[in-house]
Amino acid sequence: MTALLLLPLILPLLAPTLARRTLDRLAPATALWVLTASALALAGTCVAALGALVLTGLLKLPAFAALGELVHPLRTPSDYFVLPAAMAATGVLTVSVWTLVRSAFRQARAFRNARTQADRRPAAGDLCVIDSPDPDAYALPGRPHRIVVTTAMLRSLGPAEREALFAHERAHNRAGHHYFLAAAELAAHCHPALRATRATIRLAAERAADEAAAEATGDRRLIATAIARAALAGHASPSTRPDFAPAATSGPVPQRVAALLAPSEKPSRTTRRTALLLVACTVLSVAAGTAGVVDFHHEVEVAQGEEGP
């Protein structure tokens, strides 16, 4: 049981490398779905494994075994390993919950402030212009969706580049990319390795919006120029937007510009197989975690049903 529960804690270490390869080998919109689903599955299995380890350690103690209506404390073949593992799992879960709650409050406050600021300004359709000396532009979720742009950002771009920037942000709102970014943020608090995967998911969302905007405008070079100029204008400007509000200036902009200007290539069968490694890693983690939790439940049932000495 314990060995099975360790696999979901180890396999996410492969996720950052596999996620980058997946993004390189799949269409950005497809990669975004695959990466987000894998990150959530890996995170959920990791939390389940940590919880099972914590409960295993607690039910080995007579007081908690009595609370769980066990006839005797839970018996495991590796007592010298289980208790330290349970203590470590307790510490990891405590830190994860604390950082997640703190991040949730911070993100909720940032979203509330951004939404209040946008709602106070007159909007032209979905476009909301804020008077600010700091160049910034982002897609703000909510009802209705908004494209928030500062006057400094508008002054930094030409008319065609502004429309390209708006097309990019509209693509974010239309595809609901804020849900993917929020899911990536949640997963990042469940396992340290998934923090790097979070950055790849953010890049995938920006790449997907780049491609959608290029298709809408019919000019890939214009989109590349617009996001490059917007990033140069806003690179030193502080931003108070929530992390799940996507922006054209996010992520490694040179990599995004290069992808827009590079000739599109159809993924080969080999590259598709390489991208499937992340899916295989996720499936293995889920299978091992499920088997470990089922085995733990079986051991608890045995301890509840056996007669004491």
Side-chain angles (χ1 to χ4, degrees):
M1 175 187 70
T2 306
L4 287 173
L5 293 176
L6 289 179
L7 272 179
L9 308 181
I10 297 172
L11 287 174
L13 297 173
L14 303 174
T17 301
L18 295 176
R20 288 191 296 269
R21 292 183 179 180
T22 300
L23 180 56
D24 290 340
R25 288 160 172 78
L26 292 180
T30 304
L32 180 60
W33 279 97
V34 173
L35 294 179
T36 307
S38 296
L40 284 176
L42 289 170
T45 310
C46 175
V47 170
L50 288 172
L53 286 173
V54 171
L55 290 176
T56 300
L58 289 177
L59 293 177
K60 291 184 70 63
L61 304 176
F64 286 97
L67 287 176
E69 299 181 352
L70 272 63
V71 176
H72 56 74
L74 197 65
R75 293 169 181 167
T76 57
S78 52
D79 290 349
Y80 292 106
F81 173 77
V82 169
L83 288 179
M87 293 175 63
T90 303
V92 171
L93 278 178
T94 302
V95 172
S96 296
V97 171
W98 166 247
T99 59
L100 178 60
V101 170
R102 186 176 61 178
S103 175
F105 276 110
R106 180 174 60 85
Q107 295 299 321
R109 183 169 59 249
F111 174 71
R112 185 171 59 251
N113 293 339
R115 193 74 214 186
T116 300
Q117 189 180 36
D119 290 342
R120 288 175 179 172
R121 302 294 194 280
D126 61 348
L127 182 63
C128 177
V129 179
I130 295 178
D131 187 13
S132 172
D134 299 320
D136 198 10
Y138 56 92
L140 183 63
R143 294 189 177 179
H145 291 325
R146 296 288 190 205
I147 297 172
V148 179
V149 61
T150 64
T151 52
M153 179 62 81
L154 291 178
R155 288 193 295 267
S156 302
L157 304 176
E161 293 165 345
R162 294 175 190 170
E163 291 303 320
L165 182 68
F166 300 157
H168 175 96
E169 303 302 351
R170 286 191 179 99
H172 278 311
N173 279 335
R174 190 163 50 247
H177 287 164
H178 52 282
Y179 293 117
F180 295 91
L181 300 186
E185 183 69 22
L186 173 64
H189 290 281
C190 298
H191 196 288
L194 296 178
R195 295 173 187 171
T197 307
R198 172 182 58 187
T200 307
I201 291 174
R202 288 176 176 171
L203 175 57
E206 294 304 323
R207 289 275 311 278
D210 290 341
E211 294 296 330
E215 185 176 351
T217 61
D219 191 339
R220 299 178 68 86
R221 184 171 293 275
L222 174 61
I223 300 297
T225 303
I227 64 174
R229 292 194 63 179
L232 286 174
H235 79 282
S237 300
S239 178
T240 58
R241 63 177 179 264
D243 291 343
F244 58 84
T249 56
S250 301
V253 173
Q255 184 177 343
R256 292 168 53 200
V257 170
L260 280 167
L261 298 180
S264 57
E265 295 181 1
K266 243 183 174 180
S268 65
R269 186 175 299 178
T270 303
T271 57
R272 288 196 186 99
R273 279 201 294 263
T274 305
L276 285 175
L277 286 175
L278 177 61
V279 177
C281 175
T282 304
V283 171
L284 178 60
S285 178
V286 171
T290 302
V293 170
V294 169
D295 191 20
F296 163 74
H297 184 261
H298 174 70
E299 294 296 331
V300 171
E301 287 184 330
V302 170
Q304 288 176 329
E306 285 184 359
E307 295 183 358

